[in-house]
Amino acid sequence: MSVPQEHEDAVVIPISAAPSFEEPDRVARLLAFLRRRVEGDYEVDEFGYDAELTDKVVLELIRPLYTDWFRVETVELKNIPDEGGALVVANHSGTLPLDALMLQVALHDEARRPLRLLGADLVYQLPVLSHLARKTGHTLACPEDADRLLRKGELVGVFPEGFKGVGKSFGDRYRLQRFGRGGFVASAIRAGVPIVPTAIVGAEEIYPKVGDLKFLARMLGLPYLPITPFFPLLGPLGLVPLPSKWMIEFGEPIRTDEYEPSAADDPMLVFNLTDHVREVIQQLLNELRLRRGHAFPPFV
């Protein structure tokens, strides 16, 4: 008996290409995640860092800004060590500190390392923001916390310009402000970890600050209350950041293990090394701006 040849041209679908019914259901995973949260079945470290919440919720929410809105491009990622402690020192700008969040996404997604950011006192004086900052791995910018994190082998991020950098006017864009007393350098020397100077280009254009409501800012206990071309004129719509093109470059690490830990108490050494880090970042900023060119679409 012969087999009919009607379906000689039929397409055979390999088993490997067939739909898989073994993939975990997204709804089931979400329910399992929620159940663990309700039951308290998750871990936080001594600083309050909740890795699961950060990876599964917070970074997922802000990743579209990173990939689609700002189109962030990283340069010289090889300068981030694969393991061990290191201090990432970056310029700060943008009126709202979105650059800190974008840097966190960059290192998590592309270097596969969580970034433990050091935040200003104001962050930890605000009830909701303080709790969220701790949960996502941030901690107070003090020598004690920085030293402990670095000695644990963590990747620590710091913005030495502080509010002077993030709140500077649009006319002063990409001009580094003073770096304070160099506490971050002293922490790196004590822990013997490299300092990675980092330049972030693009954040300056998201909220062009053209003025400051100083009186109202003092009443609210804020370092500044910005006026931009769209805020407060457009109300909440003025809080939507402009879609500028971002680039983040990681400079060559500056070694500190050649110094004795006691050298962290030498103010002249700390000052000179701080000034050197600042000069390197300023040079990186200047070069990166030229490489990027125009900030906004359709120019990329």
Side-chain angles (χ1 to χ4, degrees):
M1 178 177 179
S2 61
V3 179
Q5 301 297 317
E6 297 179 34
H7 303 292
E8 286 182 352
D9 297 330
V11 177
V12 178
I13 301 177
I15 293 177
S16 60
S20 172
F21 296 99
E22 296 181 359
E23 288 187 20
D25 183 79
R26 296 186 66 179
V27 175
R29 283 185 293 168
L30 175 61
L31 292 175
F33 171 78
L34 293 175
R35 184 174 63 251
R36 288 196 303 274
R37 306 308 297 184
V38 171
E39 295 175 351
D41 184 19
Y42 57 90
E43 296 181 359
V44 297
D45 71 3
E46 59 187 301
F47 296 92
Y49 174 46
D50 186 335
E52 183 183 47
L53 181 69
T54 302
D55 296 353
K56 305 294 186 184
V57 179
V58 178
L59 294 184
E60 286 291 335
L61 289 174
I62 62 178
R63 190 169 285 114
L65 278 177
Y66 180 89
T67 57
D68 303 323
W69 196 250
F70 297 138
R71 299 158 292 134
V72 182
E73 177 185 344
T74 55
V75 182
E76 297 294 341
L77 200 67
K78 65 182 182 181
N79 287 324
I80 297 294
D82 294 331
E83 58 184 18
L87 187 64
V88 178
V89 183
N91 59 301
H92 210 14
S93 63
T95 305
L96 292 180
L98 292 183
D99 52 359
L101 299 179
M102 295 302 104
L103 183 60
Q104 190 171 6
V105 176
L107 290 170
H108 177 275
D109 289 3
E110 302 190 40
R112 303 300 177 188
R113 296 201 63 180
L115 179 66
R116 310 298 296 273
L117 288 164
L118 304 179
D121 293 355
L122 178 63
V123 174
Y124 301 97
Q125 295 170 4
L126 304 174
V128 176
L129 188 58
S130 171
H131 182 70
L132 182 60
R134 290 284 186 187
K135 285 286 188 180
T136 53
H138 305 190
T139 190
L140 187 64
C142 65
E144 294 77 17
D145 283 4
D147 290 354
R148 286 162 61 197
L149 284 168
L150 290 171
R151 288 196 174 103
K152 283 179 61 179
E154 299 282 359
L155 194 63
V156 178
V158 64
F159 298 89
E161 293 175 281
F163 288 119
K164 298 188 301 295
V166 75
K168 62 176 172 282
S169 68
F170 189 64
D172 290 329
R173 60 191 180 280
Y174 299 118
R175 298 174 187 168
L176 288 180
Q177 306 299 298
R178 192 171 62 88
F179 267 21
R181 300 178 181 178
F184 68 93
V185 166
S187 293
I189 292 174
R190 277 191 291 267
V193 300
I195 297 171
V196 183
T198 302
I200 303 175
V201 164
E204 300 277 12
E205 292 95 4
I206 62 174
Y207 298 113
K209 183 185 172 190
V210 295
D212 194 350
L213 300 171
K214 295 181 180 179
F215 177 72
L216 189 55
R218 283 196 296 269
M219 288 182 59
L220 297 174
L222 299 174
Y224 57 88
L225 192 60
I227 299 173
T228 76
F230 307 104
F231 181 84
L233 182 63
L234 298 183
L237 282 176
L239 296 176
V240 177
L242 296 176
S244 65
K245 166 66 178 176
W246 285 40
M247 295 183 74
I248 302 177
E249 180 170 359
F250 302 98
E252 188 174 343
I254 299 171
R255 294 182 56 180
T256 65
D257 56 357
E258 58 190 26
Y259 304 108
E260 293 293 330
S262 59
D265 299 321
D266 183 344
M268 186 56 67
L269 173 64
V270 170
F271 174 80
N272 289 337
L273 195 50
T274 301
D275 197 47
H276 175 59
V277 173
R278 185 179 180 277
E279 288 178 359
V280 171
I281 295 175
Q282 184 65 72
Q283 184 177 354
L284 288 173
L285 281 173
N286 296 340
E287 295 172 354
L288 202 57
R289 286 183 70 191
L290 292 174
R291 192 183 315 178
R292 181 197 61 168
H294 294 285
F296 300 106
F299 309 103
V300 295

